[in-house]
Amino acid sequence: MGWVHKHKLPAIEAVKYNSYLCLEINDLWFTIHLSFNMASDQCIEEDILDKVLSFTSSFWKVFFEEEFISSIARCNNSSTSGRRHLKHIIKDKIYLKNIINIANMCIELSHWPLHFKMSMTIVIPKLNKVSYNSPKLFRPIVLLNTIGKLIEKVISNRLQFYLISNNFIHQCQLGSLKFKATSDADIALTHFICMRWVKNLPSSILVFNISQLFLSLNNCLLLHILGKAGFDSKVVHFFSNYLVDRKTQYFWNNFSSPLFSVDVRVGQGSVLSPILSALYLAPVLHILEKHLKNLKIPVSMLSFVDDGFFIIQSKSFSFLNSLLFCSYNITSILLWKFGLTLEHSKTKVFHFSRLHGTFNPPPLDFSVLGAPILYSKEVWKYLGFIFDRKLTFC
């Protein structure tokens, strides 16, 4: 199988971390570990959740055979190496029953076996970068035990169904959820703009990105959010064990590191990471919406995994910029209370207008917040779609 062949990282200069060159292999492991586990030293405000309504707790039912069969049926039979693929489990009823029993006992006993907590973290470069001298230019790919991932997938499906059915997930969240795609966010954006054009109002978009979302979730706060969302206490206790005592080994080309503790984060290789990140962001967005309404800032927002944007309409671009500045500043402060940070270098502004002739809106100055001065470009690419200011899609 072609995907199991070795693929070396590109030749690069020495990686820098806080202006320090990593010239020894042990320095490299230390740098990678710190970079991929930013939440370890991030402060949070636990009382911030006092502003979030607590949902009524519900009973967690045992897993059924159909849940596992459905999850296995959607797996790619050629996606893993070895003689025994997951789809063969369906034919072996005894083997499948044992896995279901393990999953049910994990929840009942609030325990996740150590064997499932061990992982391999493969460090790969992000595509099309000019230089690779910073750990931020690399991506961690976490490889987990296959049976453990199957159980995680079934748990993830159950979590997602529950969170959507009780409306804990904010209505603006379109990422990390089933039956939601990037096209939904782009279609919603286009709809917002066209609706305001009917009233002859131009629209402005401010796009922001949460830095290393999966790797920055605070586990203590995540457990409180699970309780707020109304999950059975057994589920909350299960995750209190699931999230701790985890260890990983980093791989860089032919080099491997010793084991590192990774108790603060959810891994990018876990099927549970997307829904847990959506769960973590839900109270952020509920609180943010209330703040903006109290300040009478008429802004709409959408969230797609670690990306989000504000959209606002007015005849004055200077007025639009002031409202976007306030919204961004409030978001930055609120995310900090949840142990998250905005990646200012990825913040973009774009103005939509059908005006003819010269179009030169004023820049949006974020320099006092440590972010750059933003200028609207002629073309903007977002989630695979290319927009221009008149929505011609040319």
Side-chain angles (χ1 to χ4, degrees):
M1 297 173 62
W3 69 271
V4 298
H5 294 165
K6 292 183 178 179
H7 182 76
K8 291 187 176 182
L9 293 176
I12 60 170
E13 58 269 45
V15 172
K16 287 183 180 180
Y17 185 73
N18 292 337
S19 301
Y20 177 76
L21 284 175
C22 300
L23 301 178
E24 300 289 338
I25 190 66
N26 289 333
D27 295 336
L28 178 63
W29 300 137
F30 182 74
T31 294
I32 290 174
H33 182 67
L34 286 181
S35 179
F36 293 163
N37 295 274
M38 294 177 61
S40 299
D41 301 317
Q42 188 71 31
C43 298
I44 60 167
E45 291 187 13
E46 290 189 26
D47 60 352
I48 190 68
L49 292 179
D50 294 342
K51 301 178 181 179
V52 179
L53 178 67
S54 296
F55 284 62
T56 304
S57 179
S58 64
F59 178 73
W60 182 272
K61 297 181 180 179
V62 298
F63 295 112
F64 297 100
E65 181 178 308
E66 290 75 12
E67 292 179 271
F68 280 82
I69 292 177
S70 175
S71 295
I72 293 172
R74 290 192 291 269
C75 293
N76 186 345
N77 204 33
S78 62
S79 63
T80 57
S81 59
R83 292 177 294 175
R84 190 178 185 87
H85 296 295
L86 278 178
K87 288 190 177 181
H88 294 166
I89 296 176
I90 299 176
K91 302 175 183 179
D92 191 334
K93 295 298 181 180
I94 297 178
Y95 194 57
L96 178 59
K97 184 178 180 180
N98 288 336
I99 295 176
I100 297 173
N101 288 336
I102 291 173
N104 284 321
M105 291 308 296
C106 284
I107 300 295
E108 188 65 29
L109 299 176
S110 302
H111 178 74
W112 190 241
L114 287 174
H115 187 64
F116 294 159
K117 294 183 179 183
M118 305 296 291
S119 65
M120 298 168 55
T121 300
I122 314 299
V123 182
I124 64 172
K126 296 181 180 179
L127 295 177
N128 303 322
K129 301 298 181 182
V130 177
S131 176
Y132 290 93
N133 63 348
S134 169
K136 289 186 177 182
L137 300 172
F138 295 86
R139 192 186 313 277
I141 302 298
V142 181
L143 305 181
L144 299 164
N145 178 276
T146 304
I147 300 302
K149 287 190 70 171
L150 173 61
I151 298 174
E152 287 184 351
K153 187 173 185 180
V154 176
I155 296 175
S156 174
N157 291 337
R158 185 77 74 85
L159 293 180
Q160 186 158 170
F161 174 80
Y162 181 80
L163 288 171
I164 294 177
S165 63
N166 74 349
N167 293 320
F168 186 81
I169 295 294
H170 194 279
Q171 60 183 358
C172 80
Q173 289 181 264
L174 297 179
S176 304
L177 302 172
K178 285 183 178 295
F179 312 115
K180 301 292 184 181
T182 55
S183 57
D184 294 312
D186 290 315
I187 291 171
L189 171 59
T190 304
H191 175 74
F192 284 145
I193 297 167
C194 292
M195 287 294 290
R196 292 300 179 264
W197 278 355
V198 173
K199 299 180 180 180
N200 199 30
L201 291 174
S203 300
S204 294
I205 302 286
L206 181 69
V207 184
F208 56 88
N209 177 270
I210 301 174
S211 178
Q212 296 187 320
L213 175 61
F214 286 0
L215 308 178
S216 302
L217 304 189
N218 183 281
N219 292 344
C220 181
L221 199 58
L222 179 58
L223 294 176
H224 285 288
I225 295 173
L226 280 165
K228 283 282 186 178
F231 283 105
D232 193 313
S233 59
K234 291 189 296 185
V235 178
V236 179
H237 292 151
F238 163 75
F239 277 103
S240 69
N241 182 269
Y242 171 88
L243 293 168
V244 300
D245 297 327
R246 307 184 74 90
K247 296 185 182 298
T248 194
Q249 185 178 22
Y250 297 101
F251 288 83
W252 180 295
N253 281 338
N254 294 326
F255 300 100
S256 59
S257 76
L259 288 172
F260 282 86
S261 176
V262 284
D263 284 346
V264 184
R265 72 175 194 180
V266 292
Q268 291 193 355
S270 172
V271 189
L272 281 167
S273 296
I275 188 60
L276 289 178
S277 66
L279 172 71
Y280 196 91
L281 285 179
V284 178
L285 296 170
H286 283 296
I287 296 172
L288 177 60
E289 182 182 41
K290 291 179 181 178
H291 282 350
L292 296 176
K293 284 185 177 180
N294 290 338
L295 294 172
K296 297 182 180 180
I297 300 178
V299 63
S300 300
M301 57 185 181
L302 279 180
S303 170
F304 196 89
V305 195
D306 57 351
D307 287 313
F309 67 75
F310 296 115
I311 179 169
I312 196 166
Q313 297 83 22
S314 174
K315 291 185 177 181
S316 169
F317 284 108
S318 296
F319 181 64
L320 287 174
N321 280 353
S322 65
L323 294 180
L324 291 175
F325 180 93
C326 291
S327 301
Y328 187 80
N329 190 31
I330 294 169
T331 303
S332 179
I333 295 172
L334 182 58
L335 286 173
W336 181 83
K337 294 180 180 181
F338 278 82
L340 304 173
T341 57
L342 291 173
E343 192 163 350
H344 296 312
S345 62
K346 294 185 178 180
T347 304
K348 308 291 180 185
V349 67
F350 196 83
H351 301 291
F352 293 91
S353 173
R354 292 185 295 182
L355 292 175
H356 297 287
T358 303
F359 181 70
N360 189 25
L364 180 53
D365 190 356
F366 280 156
S367 57
V368 295
L369 302 179
I373 299 175
L374 305 179
Y375 298 87
S376 181
K377 297 182 178 180
E378 291 294 323
V379 176
W380 172 52
K381 185 176 181 180
Y382 185 66
L383 298 178
F385 283 70
I386 299 176
F387 297 89
D388 63 7
R389 69 179 179 89
K390 293 185 178 182
L391 288 183
T392 60
F393 296 100
C394 296

